[in-house]
Amino acid sequence: IDFRKTQIPVKNIKVFIDFLSLIKSEPKIKKINLVLHQLDSEQLKKLSFIFKPSNFTSFIKNKINQGKLNIELEVYLDNDNLLDNFVARGSVTNLKAEIISDIHLEKTNFTFFADKSDILLKNINSRSGPFNITDGDLKLTLSPEISLETNFQTNLKYNDQSENYINIIKDLKYTKDLISLEADLNNSFIIEFDKTYKIKAYTYKSNGKILKATLDFKKPIDNFFLDKKINQLSLINSEIKTNFNSKKNIINISGKYLINKENDPLSFNLENIINKEMLNLKVNIDY
């Protein structure tokens, strides 16, 4: 099929026509079913101009490096043979895309379903540096308002060689001191956009276990109730729950810790609530 001077490689096509309209010599097409040949990333970039919104087209052209797309389209037409709605379903395999500067998703696979109002992704599996993402799903609502909701599991194995990933949260205190982190987390993320695609509100929730985390302080912690400076702090087998949103951040952690690798693991429980004007901190700790 030639569409706006671009070739679309079609494996199979079915056209459903109202029978009585044929008798009247004014054929009315009810539905067109297309099964496309597998598309690679370069072919997808050539077709990307048909996608809305336009910043999605820009993402495909500039951020996707490789991948394979299998897709089946059902196009529904009105009485004037103009586009009324569509349904797209299929799968993406071996996708590689840049999501932030120097941060890439690799070996990404998922299935999808889309129409004029929603895009649904299922069975998402991917890798990005120290992150291994499994069992994910995503829903992008396009009408009447734009919103994104996703759930996924993450296995994280971070070390100080993954510095470009920690730069994402560089404004949080002590992130530069983190030298290793191993964790299993369940995550959910909701973003709401206005008509200009500016973020109106967001919520990120996470819960799971920190198997091990180590902070090596560039500036040792020293205050009046400590008998020695803290140069290194490690967390072991600790449960974590977080809730970050546009109004406040909540972090709850409980488990075992070590100071300077000199003591046996001791218990702690931290409840931390931060908003724009206040820090509410509650700590129970064995020392």
Side-chain angles (χ1 to χ4, degrees):
I1 296 177
D2 285 326
F3 182 73
R4 295 182 182 177
K5 298 181 180 180
T6 300
Q7 287 193 341
I8 302 175
V10 178
K11 182 189 298 184
N12 185 278
I13 180 170
K14 296 179 181 179
V15 181
F16 298 82
I17 302 176
D18 184 277
F19 181 74
L20 292 178
S21 70
L22 288 175
I23 298 175
K24 298 177 182 179
S25 299
E26 296 178 357
K28 288 184 170 56
I29 300 173
K30 289 186 174 182
K31 182 176 75 168
I32 301 173
N33 181 278
L34 302 173
V35 179
L36 305 190
H37 286 282
Q38 187 180 71
L39 302 173
D40 60 27
S41 57
E42 293 304 314
Q43 291 170 303
L44 183 60
K45 289 178 182 181
K46 292 179 181 178
L47 296 173
S48 63
F49 70 92
I50 66 176
F51 298 122
K52 300 293 182 181
S54 59
N55 53 355
F56 183 52
T57 298
S58 176
F59 175 80
I60 292 175
K61 286 185 175 181
N62 301 314
K63 299 297 184 179
I64 291 182
N65 303 119
Q66 69 181 48
K68 301 289 185 181
L69 171 66
N70 295 288
I71 185 169
E72 179 179 345
L73 286 169
E74 291 180 2
V75 180
Y76 297 88
L77 306 181
D78 62 18
N79 290 331
D80 296 318
N81 287 338
L82 298 175
L83 178 64
D84 183 43
N85 200 355
F86 75 91
V87 172
R89 57 175 60 88
S91 64
V92 172
T93 56
N94 200 29
L95 174 68
K96 181 178 180 181
E98 184 180 32
I99 51 175
I100 306 174
S101 179
D102 296 326
I103 304 295
H104 290 82
L105 287 175
E106 298 180 334
K107 297 182 179 179
T108 303
N109 304 291
F110 58 84
T111 59
F112 66 87
F113 175 92
D115 58 20
K116 288 173 64 175
S117 60
D118 297 292
I119 300 174
L120 305 175
L121 308 185
K122 293 284 189 180
N123 305 313
I124 302 172
N125 293 281
S126 184
R127 294 181 182 177
S128 181
F131 296 91
N132 187 23
I133 300 169
T134 59
D135 197 24
D137 61 73
L138 181 148
K139 179 179 180 181
L140 178 62
T141 301
L142 302 173
S143 177
E145 293 185 339
I146 301 173
S147 64
L148 183 148
E149 182 176 354
T150 181
N151 301 279
F152 55 95
Q153 296 178 5
T154 306
N155 173 258
L156 172 60
K157 292 183 178 180
Y158 169 83
N159 57 50
D160 53 8
Q161 302 300 313
S162 311
E163 185 176 354
N164 53 329
Y165 286 83
I166 209 67
N167 286 336
I168 300 173
I169 52 174
K170 62 183 179 181
D171 293 333
L172 295 180
K173 195 172 184 180
Y174 300 126
T175 54
K176 288 292 186 180
D177 299 313
L178 184 66
I179 60 172
S180 66
L181 172 62
E182 185 174 350
D184 292 321
L185 303 172
N186 297 309
N187 311 272
S188 65
F189 197 19
I190 299 173
I191 310 176
E192 297 177 6
F193 300 89
D194 63 17
K195 293 181 179 180
T196 64
Y197 309 115
K198 183 179 179 180
I199 294 176
K200 292 197 302 183
Y202 69 89
T203 299
Y204 171 72
K205 294 181 180 180
S206 178
N207 68 82
K209 176 170 283 190
I210 297 175
L211 304 176
K212 187 174 182 181
T214 301
L215 292 161
D216 195 356
F217 299 109
K218 295 177 176 58
K219 183 178 180 181
I221 297 175
D222 186 19
N223 57 45
F224 68 93
F225 67 87
L226 297 174
D227 59 357
K228 62 178 66 177
K229 294 180 180 180
I230 298 178
N231 298 299
Q232 190 175 89
L233 174 66
S234 299
L235 306 183
I236 303 171
N237 293 328
S238 300
E239 301 291 331
I240 181 170
K241 291 183 179 180
T242 63
N243 186 342
F244 300 144
N245 57 55
S246 43
K247 295 182 179 179
K248 63 182 178 181
N249 297 331
I250 300 173
I251 304 174
N252 295 334
I253 309 177
S254 61
K256 301 289 186 179
Y257 78 98
L258 293 169
I259 292 179
N260 298 337
K261 296 182 179 180
E262 294 179 358
N263 60 286
D264 292 328
L266 297 172
S267 298
F268 78 99
N269 185 355
L270 169 67
E271 298 177 18
N272 190 355
I273 301 175
I274 306 170
N275 62 29
K276 294 180 180 179
E277 299 178 352
M278 182 182 68
L279 166 65
N280 189 335
L281 182 65
K282 181 179 179 181
V283 181
N284 289 313
I285 188 167
D286 291 341
Y287 182 74

